[in-house]
Amino acid sequence: MGHHTVLAGRYALLTPIGRGGMGQVWEGQDQRLGRRVAVKILTREVLADRAEPNDLVRRFAREAAVMAGLQHPGVPAVYDAGTYDGGLFLVLELIDGCTLGDLIAEQGPLPVAWAAGIAAQMAAVLTSAHERGFVHRDVKPQNVMLTRDGTVKVLDFGVAAVLDQAGMLRITSTGETIGTLAYMAPEQLHSRDATPRTDLYALGCVLYEMLAGAPMFEATSPGALIHKHLSQVPAPLLREDVHPELETLVMQLLEKEPAQRPADAEETYGRLLPYVAEPGPLGDVDPVANGQSGMHLYSRVLVRLSGAAGAPHAGSVHDAGSSGSGYAGRPWPGPDEVPSAPRARRAARTTRDPYGTSSRWYGAEPSVPRGARWTFTHSLWIAPTLLFGAGAWMSFAYIAARHRRLSWLVVTAVYLVLPVTAFALIDTGPEPTNPLENDPLQTTIGVVMILLLWPAGFIHALWVNVTVRLPLRGRMEDEASRRRM
C-alpha cells in the first residue's frame, strides 16, 4: 500500500492519517468527483494476523452500514464501500479537525461552555443512533472529532450493536472485550447486553474528562481499572465554575446501575443545553469566526421552525444550536436583526460573564425587576460582618456553602484566622505596670488588626454582594422561573 495506490479506479491514496485495530485511514482524492475523502482500508495482512479474521470483516461491514444508515451531520458521511485486491475499503467524508483526546491533552480541562457544547452534540448523535436501533459501545475522546467551527463528529461505529433483534449477528469473538476499558460501563464489564444507557455512561466518562482534564479513573493494570469502574465512586470535579446541577448530571451519567442514569440521550441533551453559551476560541476552534457556513444558517432555520426543538422560545438569548450542527450556543438574532450582517452578529452575542463564574446563566442580565425588598433580603448575609471584625467569616461561610465556591471558602478561613490571632495577641500581651505606661506592642498589634478587620470585612462583603452575589441570585431565580414555564 503506497502513495500511488488507486482503489476502485478512482480513490487515490495520498497521506496516511491514522491506524487502529480496524485498519488504516488515509487522506485520499476522489479522482472522479475531484474531492478530498478519507479512505479506511482493511488489508489482507491485517486479516492474516487475526485469529478470527471474519469478525474483523463483519465489524468493518457493520461500520459502513451503520454510518450510512444514520445520515446525521454529527456522523461522517459514507460515500462508497467495496473490495480491492488487497482487502476492503470504506470511503468517508474527510473531517478537517482534531480528536477530542488530542484537544484535552493540549488544553487541559475545557471551559464549561465548551464541555457542555461538545457533550450536547454527542448526545444528539447518540439520540439519532438510538432511535435507529444502534448502540455505539465505544464512545471515547479518540472517537470524537471537533472541526474548526465547533462541529462534533462521532466516529467508529465498527462495534455498534443492533437493538431488539433476536437474531443479531455477533461481531466479536467469545470472551473478547467490546469497547475501551477506560470508558466501559459496568454492565459491559459484566458481559451483559448493551443498551442506550451504556452509551450514556461512556458519555459521562468523556464529559468528566473534559471538565477534569484527565480520565475519570486511571490504573496501572486492566484489572485495577475494571475494579474502579465496578466499585469506585468518581472523585468530585472540584471546579467552582461547574454548576452543582451540571455536576449532578455528570454523576448520574456515571451511575453503576443503568436504571439510575438519565432516561435517554435526548434527556441528557436537554439537561446539557442550558450550559451551552458562546465559549470563545479554543485553540484553532472558533465557532464565531468559522460558524457562518451554509449548514449553520440552515440548522438555525430548522430550530425556529420546530419551535421547542432547540430552545425555550424563538428569539431568546438562551436559544441553542441544532443538535448536530456544531453550533455551540450562540443566541439567535432577534426579529429585527439580520443574521448575515457582521454588525448584527456582534450585537447578538451573549453578554460575557463579568463575574468570572462561567455558570449556566448566560446572555442578558436578569429579566425580572428586583425591588428594594428583594435586595435587602438577599443582602442580610452581610450582617455578621458588623460584629466588631469577628463575624466576616460567618458571612462568607454562608455564601461559600450556598454557592459552592472554593474561593469564598478560602476567604472564610482567612477571616476566621485573623480575628482569632488578633484576640490571642491582646489576651496574651503583658499587662502595663502603671496606668501611664503605653500598651505593649503585642496588644497594640492585636487592637489594630481588629479595628482594620471590622471595616475591611464589611466593605469586602458589600462589594461581593453587589458584584457577584445579587446577580447570581437573580440569575438563579430567572432559571428556576424558566423551568416552571
Side-chain angles (χ1 to χ4, degrees):
M1 189 65 60
H3 295 272
H4 302 292
T5 302
V6 178
L7 305 182
R10 64 184 290 189
Y11 303 113
L13 303 185
L14 303 178
T15 308
I17 56 178
R19 179 186 295 270
M22 286 280 287
Q24 305 170 12
V25 181
W26 287 68
E27 178 182 345
Q29 178 78 14
D30 184 343
Q31 296 179 334
R32 185 177 302 172
L33 298 179
R35 65 180 173 186
R36 296 167 65 215
V37 293
V39 184
K40 192 168 188 176
I41 58 175
L42 184 58
T43 65
R44 297 193 188 282
E45 289 79 5
V46 173
L47 292 173
D49 291 337
R50 302 281 295 200
E52 296 187 31
N54 288 338
D55 285 344
L56 197 56
V57 172
R58 285 195 292 268
R59 218 182 264 187
F60 196 84
R62 173 64 59 84
E63 179 176 20
V66 171
M67 295 180 71
L70 285 178
Q71 296 183 342
H72 189 285
V75 178
V78 175
Y79 297 144
D80 198 0
T83 62
Y84 70 104
D85 291 341
L88 310 174
F89 72 88
L90 176 63
V91 184
L92 302 165
E93 171 189 2
L94 181 65
I95 307 302
D96 182 15
C98 65
T99 69
L100 181 56
D102 289 341
L103 185 70
I104 296 172
E106 177 184 332
Q107 300 289 333
L110 303 187
V112 172
W114 268 114
I118 293 170
Q121 291 184 73
M122 293 173 63
V125 173
L126 293 176
T127 298
S128 183
H130 296 164
E131 286 173 349
R132 288 163 174 78
F134 301 121
V135 179
H136 190 287
R137 298 200 295 182
D138 197 18
V139 175
K140 58 184 179 181
Q142 291 74 22
N143 281 342
V144 178
M145 289 197 70
L146 193 65
T147 68
R148 294 178 187 276
D149 64 0
T151 301
V152 164
K153 299 282 187 176
V154 179
L155 314 176
D156 201 354
F157 282 82
V159 296
V162 179
L163 297 172
D164 300 325
Q165 293 190 12
M168 183 185 73
L169 181 67
R170 291 185 61 84
I171 56 173
T172 57
S173 304
T174 303
E176 183 179 352
T177 301
I178 300 173
T180 304
L181 277 181
Y183 307 93
M184 287 178 67
E187 60 268 25
Q188 285 179 287
L189 298 171
H190 282 303
S191 298
R192 299 201 299 263
D193 290 340
T195 70
R197 283 175 168 164
T198 303
D199 284 343
L200 295 188
Y201 183 90
L203 176 60
C205 292
V206 174
L207 180 55
Y208 185 101
E209 186 168 336
M210 285 192 285
L211 293 170
M216 177 178 66
F217 294 132
E218 294 181 289
T220 56
S221 68
L225 188 58
I226 291 173
H227 175 74
K228 289 184 177 183
H229 276 285
L230 293 178
S231 60
Q232 186 168 316
V233 177
L237 288 168
L238 298 178
R239 277 184 59 170
E240 61 182 48
D241 59 342
V242 175
H243 191 275
E245 292 187 15
L246 177 57
E247 184 162 0
T248 297
L249 172 60
V250 175
M251 296 307 169
Q252 286 180 354
L253 289 168
L254 298 173
E255 287 286 351
K256 308 300 183 187
E257 290 298 325
Q260 296 178 3
R261 298 170 200 154
D264 50 35
E266 185 175 1
E267 177 190 323
T268 304
Y269 168 85
R271 292 172 64 180
L272 285 166
L273 203 59
Y275 304 94
V276 182
E278 182 182 316
L282 184 65
D284 293 333
V285 184
D286 189 347
V288 174
N290 303 311
Q292 290 301 312
S293 67
M295 186 180 74
H296 288 86
L297 299 176
Y298 182 85
S299 65
R300 287 154 64 183
V301 174
L302 288 180
V303 171
R304 286 203 172 191
L305 289 175
S306 62
H313 58 277
S316 167
V317 295
H318 297 275
D319 292 357
S322 170
S323 60
S325 69
Y327 185 77
R330 180 179 175 271
W332 306 133
D336 298 327
E337 295 177 294
V338 181
S340 59
R343 182 175 300 177
R345 289 200 298 270
R346 287 194 295 269
R349 293 181 182 177
T350 51
T351 302
R352 293 288 184 189
D353 182 2
Y355 315 111
T357 60
S358 299
S359 66
R360 67 186 298 175
W361 300 288
Y362 49 88
E365 291 301 307
S367 57
V368 179
R370 311 299 180 191
R373 181 176 179 181
W374 181 91
T375 301
F376 174 78
T377 300
H378 292 294
S379 301
L380 287 176
W381 68 275
I382 299 176
T385 62
L386 300 175
L387 297 178
F388 203 62
W393 71 271
M394 290 185 285
S395 294
F396 282 95
Y398 168 76
I399 61 171
R402 180 68 180 82
H403 298 289
R404 297 181 64 178
R405 296 194 63 172
L406 181 61
S407 59
W408 286 342
L409 190 61
V410 172
V411 172
T412 299
V414 171
Y415 278 122
L416 178 61
V417 169
L418 288 178
V420 169
T421 302
F423 283 118
L425 289 173
I426 296 172
D427 186 60
T428 58
E431 294 291 336
T433 55
N434 63 74
L436 298 178
E437 184 180 345
N438 292 330
D439 290 332
L441 179 61
Q442 181 177 337
T443 302
T444 302
I445 292 175
V447 172
V448 170
M449 286 179 63
I450 292 295
L451 292 177
L452 291 177
L453 276 173
W454 192 2
F458 177 76
I459 293 171
H460 186 191
L462 190 63
W463 177 79
V464 169
N465 189 56
V466 172
T467 61
V468 183
R469 160 74 173 168
L470 292 180
L472 276 177
R473 285 295 314 178
R475 293 179 180 186
M476 290 170 65
E477 293 181 10
D478 283 348
E479 180 67 18
S481 176
R482 279 191 297 273
R483 288 186 175 182
R484 291 192 294 266
M485 294 176 61

